[in-house]
Amino acid sequence: MEGRVRRSREEAALTRLAAVEMASRLFRERGVESVSVGEVMASLGMTAGGFYRAFESKEALAAEACAAAFAGSALASAPSAATMLRRYLSTAHRDAPADGCPLPALASDAAHQPAVRRAYTEGVRDALARIEALAPGADSKALLAGMVGALVIARAVDDEELSAAMLRETRRFWTEALP
Amino acid sequence: MEGRVRRSREEAALTRLAAVEMASRLFRERGVESVSVGEVMASLGMTAGGFYRAFESKEALAAEACAAAFAGSALASAPSAATMLRRYLSTAHRDAPADGCPLPALASDAAHQPAVRRAYTEGVRDALARIEALAPGADSKALLAGMVGALVIARAVDDEELSAAMLRETRRFWTEALP
DNA sequence: TGTACATCAGTGAACGCGCGTTCACTGATGTAC
DNA sequence: TGTACATCAGTGAACGCGCGTTCACTGATGTAC
């Protein structure tokens, strides 16, 4: 296109927020390393060059986008432990990683990239606190491990029946195991 | 170096096996996409060009290397469910992904690459069968989810204490929960 | 068994490509008077 | 409020780099006689 160029500062700030939000979704869907800066900006109708007016590097975006993913996690709003388990261990959650919990989606990135790792650690602490609030007395770490593991395996497997069974059986076990 | 070149067919076959084994370790350690063909071959003291006499593509190597990782999984040799839990949910296993179970290490690759996905699915079926053999009557899917999830989180987290606690509490819960 | 030739495992340079990042430039926005 | 100038958000081309893959070449291995 020709040169429609400078936006107002307000618009630029909104663009920045939109980039973080878009990156947070794309990173959960496909992993930080598989999504390019150019793709994030193109999704916003912009070119890659402008990215560096708003962010210092891709790593800085990764840190912000992951923190944003944890901050906006839907797990926060469940009214009971049973509801949390039903929503978390659902095929809908499995099939929508971009909108879902970052713990299964970003585990591999966190294991290999320090910027993601920091946000991830806080996300684990928050998740444990939420589980303890919803299910006092439950073994929160074993429960979180089961939820995250079931989703990770359900997303990695080729067989729809096996995938659904991982979610269903894990949900059933923990629904019965809770006080 | 100068041209010491052609090896015997026997040597070439050993080189091929060594490449699969090396790739299987490197892929578990850092993920398939973060390890280059050149790096795998350099680890064997060779150049990248020769790779394509033995393999059709990097994707073909990924499929073979992942299948090999599952075939050689140490989980197979545990004499009891308690021993399996102790070994699997240990900091030693957490800190040695190259030698460890592929289920936590390759989950992200399986979710995004069809060649890995197929081997992964068989790996999940095998793991469930082994758990059912060691702990008849246990909820094998919930248990596998807990083991894999605890290791995935323990490897993704910045805080040694939190990381060790994830393993320890998950192990304690399941040791008590088993028949 | 010995010799002459064909094969082919591995080398190393080159390729096309996509990536993260830089930069000169544009023209609307923001500011000073 | 209106004008003149400075700023700077975003463009688009270019960069250096590492990747997966190809290919002409080498010389030891394998084979035919």
Side-chain angles (χ1 to χ4, degrees):
Chain A
M1 323 299 163
E2 87 299 337
R4 166 79 207 295
V5 193
R6 199 204 211 272
R7 314 295 153 84
S8 71
R9 284 174 190 164
E10 198 176 357
E11 281 176 306
L14 291 175
T15 295
R16 215 196 114 96
L17 288 176
V20 170
E21 175 62 19
M22 181 64 73
S24 144
R25 295 175 49 83
L26 290 171
F27 289 169
R28 273 178 279 177
E29 202 163 278
R30 308 215 314 272
V32 174
E33 300 203 319
S34 297
V35 176
S36 70
V37 167
E39 186 178 356
V40 174
M41 298 311 278
S43 304
L44 269 50
M46 286 174 52
T47 60
F51 173 80
Y52 292 89
R53 283 234 180 250
F55 300 93
E56 197 184 335
S57 63
K58 189 190 180 185
E59 192 183 355
L61 174 66
E64 280 196 55
C66 295
F70 283 106
S73 182
L75 208 143
S77 58
S80 74
T83 302
M84 176 190 70
L85 283 168
R86 192 159 12 86
R87 287 187 193 164
Y88 200 96
L89 297 171
S90 69
T91 54
H93 188 194
R94 178 196 65 189
D95 297 336
D99 300 314
C101 177
L103 291 174
L106 297 179
S108 176
D109 289 309
H112 302 112
Q113 300 178 51
V116 178
R117 207 175 173 88
R118 279 185 283 277
Y120 196 96
T121 306
E122 281 310 305
V124 170
R125 289 206 187 90
D126 286 357
L128 290 172
R130 269 185 247 126
I131 289 171
E132 283 155 19
L134 283 176
D139 197 316
S140 60
K141 293 188 179 74
L143 172 50
L144 181 64
M147 289 167 59
V148 170
L151 209 56
V152 159
I153 293 171
R155 283 178 179 159
V157 136
D158 222 1
D159 174 338
E160 166 63 28
E161 184 49 44
L162 177 59
S163 176
M166 282 299 309
L167 299 174
R168 191 195 324 120
E169 295 301 314
T170 303
R171 181 182 55 188
R172 195 178 48 70
F173 175 87
W174 282 103
T175 304
E176 289 172 8
L178 288 180
Chain B
M1 322 298 163
E2 88 297 337
R4 167 78 208 296
V5 191
R6 201 210 214 266
R7 313 296 154 83
S8 70
R9 285 175 190 164
E10 199 177 357
E11 281 176 307
L14 290 175
T15 295
R16 215 196 113 96
L17 288 175
V20 171
E21 175 61 20
M22 181 64 72
S24 144
R25 295 176 49 83
L26 290 171
F27 289 168
R28 272 178 280 178
E29 201 163 276
R30 309 215 312 273
V32 175
E33 300 203 318
S34 297
V35 175
S36 70
V37 166
E39 185 177 356
V40 174
M41 297 311 278
S43 305
L44 269 51
M46 286 174 51
T47 60
F51 173 80
Y52 292 89
R53 282 231 181 250
F55 301 93
E56 198 184 336
S57 63
K58 189 190 180 185
E59 192 183 355
L61 174 66
E64 280 197 54
C66 295
F70 283 106
S73 183
L75 208 142
S77 59
S80 73
T83 301
M84 176 190 71
L85 284 167
R86 194 160 10 86
R87 287 187 193 163
Y88 200 97
L89 297 170
S90 68
T91 54
H93 188 194
R94 177 196 66 189
D95 297 336
D99 300 313
C101 177
L103 291 174
L106 298 177
S108 177
D109 289 308
H112 303 112
Q113 299 178 51
V116 178
R117 208 174 172 87
R118 279 185 284 274
Y120 196 95
T121 306
E122 281 310 304
V124 170
R125 289 205 187 91
D126 286 358
L128 290 172
R130 269 185 246 126
I131 289 171
E132 282 156 19
L134 282 175
D139 197 316
S140 60
K141 293 188 179 73
L143 172 49
L144 182 64
M147 289 167 59
V148 170
L151 209 57
V152 158
I153 293 171
R155 284 179 179 158
V157 136
D158 222 0
D159 174 336
E160 166 63 28
E161 184 50 44
L162 177 59
S163 175
M166 283 298 308
L167 299 175
R168 191 195 322 121
E169 295 301 315
T170 303
R171 180 182 54 186
R172 194 178 50 69
F173 174 86
W174 281 103
T175 305
E176 289 172 9
L178 289 181

PDB file of all heavy atoms in Angstrom, chain A residues 1 5-7 47 49-50 53, chain D residues 6-13:
ATOM      1  N   MET A   1       0.847  -1.213   0.000  1.00  0.00           N
ATOM      2  CA  MET A   1       0.000   0.000   0.000  1.00  0.00           C
ATOM      3  C   MET A   1       0.877   1.255   0.000  1.00  0.00           C
ATOM      4  O   MET A   1       2.053   1.205   0.272  1.00  0.00           O
ATOM      5  CB  MET A   1      -0.897   0.053   1.251  1.00  0.00           C
ATOM      6  CG  MET A   1      -1.424  -1.316   1.684  1.00  0.00           C
ATOM      7  SD  MET A   1      -2.455  -2.114   0.418  1.00  0.00           S
ATOM      8  CE  MET A   1      -2.434  -3.805   1.004  1.00  0.00           C
ATOM      9  N   VAL A   5       0.713   6.533   7.293  1.00  0.00           N
ATOM     10  CA  VAL A   5       1.811   6.193   8.175  1.00  0.00           C
ATOM     11  C   VAL A   5       1.552   6.455   9.659  1.00  0.00           C
ATOM     12  O   VAL A   5       0.960   5.650  10.350  1.00  0.00           O
ATOM     13  CB  VAL A   5       3.100   6.932   7.763  1.00  0.00           C
ATOM     14  CG1 VAL A   5       4.291   6.350   8.479  1.00  0.00           C
ATOM     15  CG2 VAL A   5       3.288   6.838   6.262  1.00  0.00           C
ATOM     16  N   ARG A   6       1.914   7.578  10.137  1.00  0.00           N
ATOM     17  CA  ARG A   6       1.950   7.802  11.574  1.00  0.00           C
ATOM     18  C   ARG A   6       0.560   7.759  12.198  1.00  0.00           C
ATOM     19  O   ARG A   6      -0.383   8.359  11.688  1.00  0.00           O
ATOM     20  CB  ARG A   6       2.594   9.162  11.832  1.00  0.00           C
ATOM     21  CG  ARG A   6       3.105   9.349  13.263  1.00  0.00           C
ATOM     22  CD  ARG A   6       3.135  10.832  13.499  1.00  0.00           C
ATOM     23  NE  ARG A   6       4.153  11.334  14.391  1.00  0.00           N
ATOM     24  CZ  ARG A   6       3.988  11.423  15.697  1.00  0.00           C
ATOM     25  NH1 ARG A   6       2.945  10.877  16.252  1.00  0.00           N
ATOM     26  NH2 ARG A   6       4.874  12.018  16.427  1.00  0.00           N
ATOM     27  N   ARG A   7       0.404   7.019  13.293  1.00  0.00           N
ATOM     28  CA  ARG A   7      -0.840   7.025  14.074  1.00  0.00           C
ATOM     29  C   ARG A   7      -0.644   7.898  15.307  1.00  0.00           C
ATOM     30  O   ARG A   7       0.474   8.239  15.667  1.00  0.00           O
ATOM     31  CB  ARG A   7      -1.195   5.600  14.554  1.00  0.00           C
ATOM     32  CG  ARG A   7      -1.089   4.528  13.532  1.00  0.00           C
ATOM     33  CD  ARG A   7      -2.081   4.674  12.391  1.00  0.00           C
ATOM     34  NE  ARG A   7      -1.517   4.037  11.184  1.00  0.00           N
ATOM     35  CZ  ARG A   7      -1.611   2.746  10.921  1.00  0.00           C
ATOM     36  NH1 ARG A   7      -2.287   1.952  11.708  1.00  0.00           N
ATOM     37  NH2 ARG A   7      -1.054   2.227   9.850  1.00  0.00           N
ATOM     38  N   THR A  47       3.356  -4.306   9.092  1.00  0.00           N
ATOM     39  CA  THR A  47       4.600  -4.948   8.644  1.00  0.00           C
ATOM     40  C   THR A  47       5.524  -5.171   9.845  1.00  0.00           C
ATOM     41  O   THR A  47       5.378  -4.533  10.886  1.00  0.00           O
ATOM     42  CB  THR A  47       5.321  -4.083   7.609  1.00  0.00           C
ATOM     43  OG1 THR A  47       5.622  -2.820   8.198  1.00  0.00           O
ATOM     44  CG2 THR A  47       4.467  -3.884   6.368  1.00  0.00           C
ATOM     45  N   GLY A  49       8.630  -4.447  10.343  1.00  0.00           N
ATOM     46  CA  GLY A  49       9.554  -3.373  10.713  1.00  0.00           C
ATOM     47  C   GLY A  49       9.076  -2.530  11.882  1.00  0.00           C
ATOM     48  O   GLY A  49       9.857  -2.159  12.759  1.00  0.00           O
ATOM     49  N   GLY A  50       7.771  -2.227  11.908  1.00  0.00           N
ATOM     50  CA  GLY A  50       7.236  -1.357  12.946  1.00  0.00           C
ATOM     51  C   GLY A  50       7.260  -1.959  14.342  1.00  0.00           C
ATOM     52  O   GLY A  50       7.154  -1.239  15.338  1.00  0.00           O
ATOM     53  N   ARG A  53       9.492  -0.416  17.104  1.00  0.00           N
ATOM     54  CA  ARG A  53       9.171   0.846  17.787  1.00  0.00           C
ATOM     55  C   ARG A  53       8.499   0.565  19.124  1.00  0.00           C
ATOM     56  O   ARG A  53       8.553   1.371  20.031  1.00  0.00           O
ATOM     57  CB  ARG A  53       8.236   1.691  16.936  1.00  0.00           C
ATOM     58  CG  ARG A  53       8.945   2.349  15.828  1.00  0.00           C
ATOM     59  CD  ARG A  53       8.772   3.844  15.754  1.00  0.00           C
ATOM     60  NE  ARG A  53       9.547   4.269  14.624  1.00  0.00           N
ATOM     61  CZ  ARG A  53      10.663   4.966  14.708  1.00  0.00           C
ATOM     62  NH1 ARG A  53      11.079   5.437  15.870  1.00  0.00           N
ATOM     63  NH2 ARG A  53      11.350   5.252  13.640  1.00  0.00           N
TER      64      ARG A  53
ATOM     65  P    DA D   6      12.397  22.396  12.811  1.00  0.00           P
ATOM     66  OP1  DA D   6      13.711  22.846  13.336  1.00  0.00           O
ATOM     67  OP2  DA D   6      12.280  21.841  11.441  1.00  0.00           O
ATOM     68  O5'  DA D   6      11.808  21.357  13.852  1.00  0.00           O
ATOM     69  C5'  DA D   6      11.495  21.804  15.185  1.00  0.00           C
ATOM     70  C4'  DA D   6      10.960  20.653  16.002  1.00  0.00           C
ATOM     71  O4'  DA D   6       9.654  20.268  15.505  1.00  0.00           O
ATOM     72  C3'  DA D   6      11.807  19.387  15.953  1.00  0.00           C
ATOM     73  O3'  DA D   6      11.744  18.770  17.233  1.00  0.00           O
ATOM     74  C2'  DA D   6      11.145  18.550  14.863  1.00  0.00           C
ATOM     75  C1'  DA D   6       9.681  18.923  15.042  1.00  0.00           C
ATOM     76  N9   DA D   6       8.887  18.887  13.823  1.00  0.00           N
ATOM     77  C8   DA D   6       9.228  19.376  12.594  1.00  0.00           C
ATOM     78  N7   DA D   6       8.292  19.225  11.678  1.00  0.00           N
ATOM     79  C5   DA D   6       7.268  18.581  12.374  1.00  0.00           C
ATOM     80  C6   DA D   6       5.993  18.141  11.979  1.00  0.00           C
ATOM     81  N6   DA D   6       5.506  18.287  10.737  1.00  0.00           N
ATOM     82  N1   DA D   6       5.224  17.541  12.913  1.00  0.00           N
ATOM     83  C2   DA D   6       5.710  17.410  14.150  1.00  0.00           C
ATOM     84  N3   DA D   6       6.886  17.795  14.647  1.00  0.00           N
ATOM     85  C4   DA D   6       7.619  18.372  13.692  1.00  0.00           C
ATOM     86  P    DT D   7      12.556  17.391  17.539  1.00  0.00           P
ATOM     87  OP1  DT D   7      13.067  17.501  18.912  1.00  0.00           O
ATOM     88  OP2  DT D   7      13.462  17.107  16.406  1.00  0.00           O
ATOM     89  O5'  DT D   7      11.404  16.303  17.544  1.00  0.00           O
ATOM     90  C5'  DT D   7      10.268  16.493  18.395  1.00  0.00           C
ATOM     91  C4'  DT D   7       9.223  15.432  18.114  1.00  0.00           C
ATOM     92  O4'  DT D   7       8.663  15.626  16.793  1.00  0.00           O
ATOM     93  C3'  DT D   7       9.752  13.989  18.128  1.00  0.00           C
ATOM     94  O3'  DT D   7       8.890  13.216  18.931  1.00  0.00           O
ATOM     95  C2'  DT D   7       9.698  13.558  16.660  1.00  0.00           C
ATOM     96  C1'  DT D   7       8.496  14.370  16.174  1.00  0.00           C
ATOM     97  N1   DT D   7       8.412  14.604  14.717  1.00  0.00           N
ATOM     98  C2   DT D   7       7.230  14.343  14.065  1.00  0.00           C
ATOM     99  O2   DT D   7       6.240  13.919  14.623  1.00  0.00           O
ATOM    100  N3   DT D   7       7.240  14.620  12.716  1.00  0.00           N
ATOM    101  C4   DT D   7       8.303  15.106  11.987  1.00  0.00           C
ATOM    102  O4   DT D   7       8.181  15.306  10.772  1.00  0.00           O
ATOM    103  C5   DT D   7       9.514  15.357  12.715  1.00  0.00           C
ATOM    104  C7   DT D   7      10.714  15.885  12.018  1.00  0.00           C
ATOM    105  C6   DT D   7       9.512  15.096  14.045  1.00  0.00           C
ATOM    106  P    DC D   8       9.438  11.868  19.671  1.00  0.00           P
ATOM    107  OP1  DC D   8       9.365  12.090  21.124  1.00  0.00           O
ATOM    108  OP2  DC D   8      10.706  11.467  19.017  1.00  0.00           O
ATOM    109  O5'  DC D   8       8.355  10.776  19.280  1.00  0.00           O
ATOM    110  C5'  DC D   8       7.163  11.140  18.587  1.00  0.00           C
ATOM    111  C4'  DC D   8       6.831  10.116  17.517  1.00  0.00           C
ATOM    112  O4'  DC D   8       7.143  10.688  16.215  1.00  0.00           O
ATOM    113  C3'  DC D   8       7.639   8.809  17.590  1.00  0.00           C
ATOM    114  O3'  DC D   8       6.784   7.732  17.207  1.00  0.00           O
ATOM    115  C2'  DC D   8       8.693   9.006  16.506  1.00  0.00           C
ATOM    116  C1'  DC D   8       7.839   9.722  15.465  1.00  0.00           C
ATOM    117  N1   DC D   8       8.585  10.399  14.383  1.00  0.00           N
ATOM    118  C2   DC D   8       7.893  10.784  13.226  1.00  0.00           C
ATOM    119  O2   DC D   8       6.681  10.548  13.143  1.00  0.00           O
ATOM    120  N3   DC D   8       8.565  11.385  12.216  1.00  0.00           N
ATOM    121  C4   DC D   8       9.888  11.615  12.346  1.00  0.00           C
ATOM    122  N4   DC D   8      10.515  12.224  11.325  1.00  0.00           N
ATOM    123  C5   DC D   8      10.609  11.237  13.520  1.00  0.00           C
ATOM    124  C6   DC D   8       9.923  10.639  14.509  1.00  0.00           C
ATOM    125  P    DA D   9       6.154   6.778  18.367  1.00  0.00           P
ATOM    126  OP1  DA D   9       5.526   7.591  19.416  1.00  0.00           O
ATOM    127  OP2  DA D   9       7.224   5.814  18.694  1.00  0.00           O
ATOM    128  O5'  DA D   9       5.025   6.009  17.571  1.00  0.00           O
ATOM    129  C5'  DA D   9       3.787   6.654  17.256  1.00  0.00           C
ATOM    130  C4'  DA D   9       3.140   5.981  16.047  1.00  0.00           C
ATOM    131  O4'  DA D   9       3.783   6.456  14.836  1.00  0.00           O
ATOM    132  C3'  DA D   9       3.256   4.466  16.002  1.00  0.00           C
ATOM    133  O3'  DA D   9       2.089   3.933  15.373  1.00  0.00           O
ATOM    134  C2'  DA D   9       4.495   4.224  15.148  1.00  0.00           C
ATOM    135  C1'  DA D   9       4.466   5.392  14.179  1.00  0.00           C
ATOM    136  N9   DA D   9       5.799   5.922  13.842  1.00  0.00           N
ATOM    137  C8   DA D   9       6.899   5.983  14.652  1.00  0.00           C
ATOM    138  N7   DA D   9       7.946   6.528  14.075  1.00  0.00           N
ATOM    139  C5   DA D   9       7.504   6.841  12.798  1.00  0.00           C
ATOM    140  C6   DA D   9       8.127   7.436  11.696  1.00  0.00           C
ATOM    141  N6   DA D   9       9.399   7.848  11.708  1.00  0.00           N
ATOM    142  N1   DA D   9       7.397   7.609  10.577  1.00  0.00           N
ATOM    143  C2   DA D   9       6.113   7.204  10.576  1.00  0.00           C
ATOM    144  N3   DA D   9       5.407   6.633  11.556  1.00  0.00           N
ATOM    145  C4   DA D   9       6.168   6.473  12.643  1.00  0.00           C
ATOM    146  P    DG D  10       1.921   2.378  15.105  1.00  0.00           P
ATOM    147  OP1  DG D  10       0.475   2.098  15.086  1.00  0.00           O
ATOM    148  OP2  DG D  10       2.819   1.643  16.018  1.00  0.00           O
ATOM    149  O5'  DG D  10       2.475   2.199  13.626  1.00  0.00           O
ATOM    150  C5'  DG D  10       1.692   2.690  12.542  1.00  0.00           C
ATOM    151  C4'  DG D  10       2.488   2.570  11.265  1.00  0.00           C
ATOM    152  O4'  DG D  10       3.716   3.324  11.395  1.00  0.00           O
ATOM    153  C3'  DG D  10       2.915   1.140  10.895  1.00  0.00           C
ATOM    154  O3'  DG D  10       2.334   0.801   9.647  1.00  0.00           O
ATOM    155  C2'  DG D  10       4.432   1.205  10.852  1.00  0.00           C
ATOM    156  C1'  DG D  10       4.688   2.685  10.606  1.00  0.00           C
ATOM    157  N9   DG D  10       6.005   3.104  11.048  1.00  0.00           N
ATOM    158  C8   DG D  10       6.578   2.952  12.290  1.00  0.00           C
ATOM    159  N7   DG D  10       7.800   3.429  12.358  1.00  0.00           N
ATOM    160  C5   DG D  10       8.055   3.923  11.083  1.00  0.00           C
ATOM    161  C6   DG D  10       9.207   4.558  10.556  1.00  0.00           C
ATOM    162  O6   DG D  10      10.275   4.816  11.120  1.00  0.00           O
ATOM    163  N1   DG D  10       9.036   4.907   9.207  1.00  0.00           N
ATOM    164  C2   DG D  10       7.890   4.670   8.486  1.00  0.00           C
ATOM    165  N2   DG D  10       7.907   5.071   7.212  1.00  0.00           N
ATOM    166  N3   DG D  10       6.803   4.080   8.962  1.00  0.00           N
ATOM    167  C4   DG D  10       6.957   3.733  10.260  1.00  0.00           C
ATOM    168  P    DT D  11       2.778  -0.466   8.773  1.00  0.00           P
ATOM    169  OP1  DT D  11       1.559  -0.900   8.054  1.00  0.00           O
ATOM    170  OP2  DT D  11       3.528  -1.401   9.614  1.00  0.00           O
ATOM    171  O5'  DT D  11       3.769   0.170   7.709  1.00  0.00           O
ATOM    172  C5'  DT D  11       3.328   1.232   6.865  1.00  0.00           C
ATOM    173  C4'  DT D  11       4.308   1.448   5.728  1.00  0.00           C
ATOM    174  O4'  DT D  11       5.558   1.963   6.255  1.00  0.00           O
ATOM    175  C3'  DT D  11       4.669   0.189   4.936  1.00  0.00           C
ATOM    176  O3'  DT D  11       4.597   0.512   3.552  1.00  0.00           O
ATOM    177  C2'  DT D  11       6.081  -0.153   5.400  1.00  0.00           C
ATOM    178  C1'  DT D  11       6.645   1.216   5.747  1.00  0.00           C
ATOM    179  N1   DT D  11       7.674   1.255   6.817  1.00  0.00           N
ATOM    180  C2   DT D  11       8.869   1.891   6.577  1.00  0.00           C
ATOM    181  O2   DT D  11       9.150   2.401   5.507  1.00  0.00           O
ATOM    182  N3   DT D  11       9.740   1.898   7.642  1.00  0.00           N
ATOM    183  C4   DT D  11       9.537   1.361   8.897  1.00  0.00           C
ATOM    184  O4   DT D  11      10.397   1.446   9.778  1.00  0.00           O
ATOM    185  C5   DT D  11       8.264   0.708   9.086  1.00  0.00           C
ATOM    186  C7   DT D  11       7.935   0.093  10.410  1.00  0.00           C
ATOM    187  C6   DT D  11       7.402   0.691   8.043  1.00  0.00           C
ATOM    188  P    DG D  12       4.343  -0.661   2.451  1.00  0.00           P
ATOM    189  OP1  DG D  12       3.632  -0.037   1.320  1.00  0.00           O
ATOM    190  OP2  DG D  12       3.792  -1.839   3.130  1.00  0.00           O
ATOM    191  O5'  DG D  12       5.825  -0.996   1.972  1.00  0.00           O
ATOM    192  C5'  DG D  12       6.636   0.068   1.491  1.00  0.00           C
ATOM    193  C4'  DG D  12       8.068  -0.407   1.369  1.00  0.00           C
ATOM    194  O4'  DG D  12       8.733  -0.325   2.658  1.00  0.00           O
ATOM    195  C3'  DG D  12       8.247  -1.854   0.920  1.00  0.00           C
ATOM    196  O3'  DG D  12       9.393  -1.918   0.101  1.00  0.00           O
ATOM    197  C2'  DG D  12       8.488  -2.594   2.228  1.00  0.00           C
ATOM    198  C1'  DG D  12       9.359  -1.560   2.914  1.00  0.00           C
ATOM    199  N9   DG D  12       9.500  -1.718   4.349  1.00  0.00           N
ATOM    200  C8   DG D  12       8.669  -2.357   5.227  1.00  0.00           C
ATOM    201  N7   DG D  12       9.079  -2.317   6.469  1.00  0.00           N
ATOM    202  C5   DG D  12      10.261  -1.603   6.411  1.00  0.00           C
ATOM    203  C6   DG D  12      11.168  -1.236   7.436  1.00  0.00           C
ATOM    204  O6   DG D  12      11.097  -1.463   8.642  1.00  0.00           O
ATOM    205  N1   DG D  12      12.245  -0.494   6.937  1.00  0.00           N
ATOM    206  C2   DG D  12      12.429  -0.172   5.613  1.00  0.00           C
ATOM    207  N2   DG D  12      13.523   0.527   5.312  1.00  0.00           N
ATOM    208  N3   DG D  12      11.590  -0.512   4.645  1.00  0.00           N
ATOM    209  C4   DG D  12      10.535  -1.225   5.122  1.00  0.00           C
ATOM    210  P    DA D  13       9.582  -3.019  -1.041  1.00  0.00           P
ATOM    211  OP1  DA D  13       8.842  -2.576  -2.250  1.00  0.00           O
ATOM    212  OP2  DA D  13       9.329  -4.355  -0.479  1.00  0.00           O
ATOM    213  O5'  DA D  13      11.150  -2.877  -1.324  1.00  0.00           O
ATOM    214  C5'  DA D  13      11.766  -1.610  -1.169  1.00  0.00           C
ATOM    215  C4'  DA D  13      13.112  -1.768  -0.479  1.00  0.00           C
ATOM    216  O4'  DA D  13      12.917  -1.851   0.960  1.00  0.00           O
ATOM    217  C3'  DA D  13      13.892  -3.020  -0.888  1.00  0.00           C
ATOM    218  O3'  DA D  13      15.226  -2.658  -1.169  1.00  0.00           O
ATOM    219  C2'  DA D  13      13.793  -3.918   0.338  1.00  0.00           C
ATOM    220  C1'  DA D  13      13.754  -2.878   1.457  1.00  0.00           C
ATOM    221  N9   DA D  13      13.194  -3.364   2.714  1.00  0.00           N
ATOM    222  C8   DA D  13      12.018  -4.058   2.887  1.00  0.00           C
ATOM    223  N7   DA D  13      11.771  -4.365   4.145  1.00  0.00           N
ATOM    224  C5   DA D  13      12.850  -3.831   4.840  1.00  0.00           C
ATOM    225  C6   DA D  13      13.180  -3.822   6.214  1.00  0.00           C
ATOM    226  N6   DA D  13      12.423  -4.375   7.156  1.00  0.00           N
ATOM    227  N1   DA D  13      14.317  -3.202   6.570  1.00  0.00           N
ATOM    228  C2   DA D  13      15.080  -2.645   5.622  1.00  0.00           C
ATOM    229  N3   DA D  13      14.877  -2.588   4.301  1.00  0.00           N
ATOM    230  C4   DA D  13      13.721  -3.216   3.973  1.00  0.00           C
TER     231       DA D  13
END
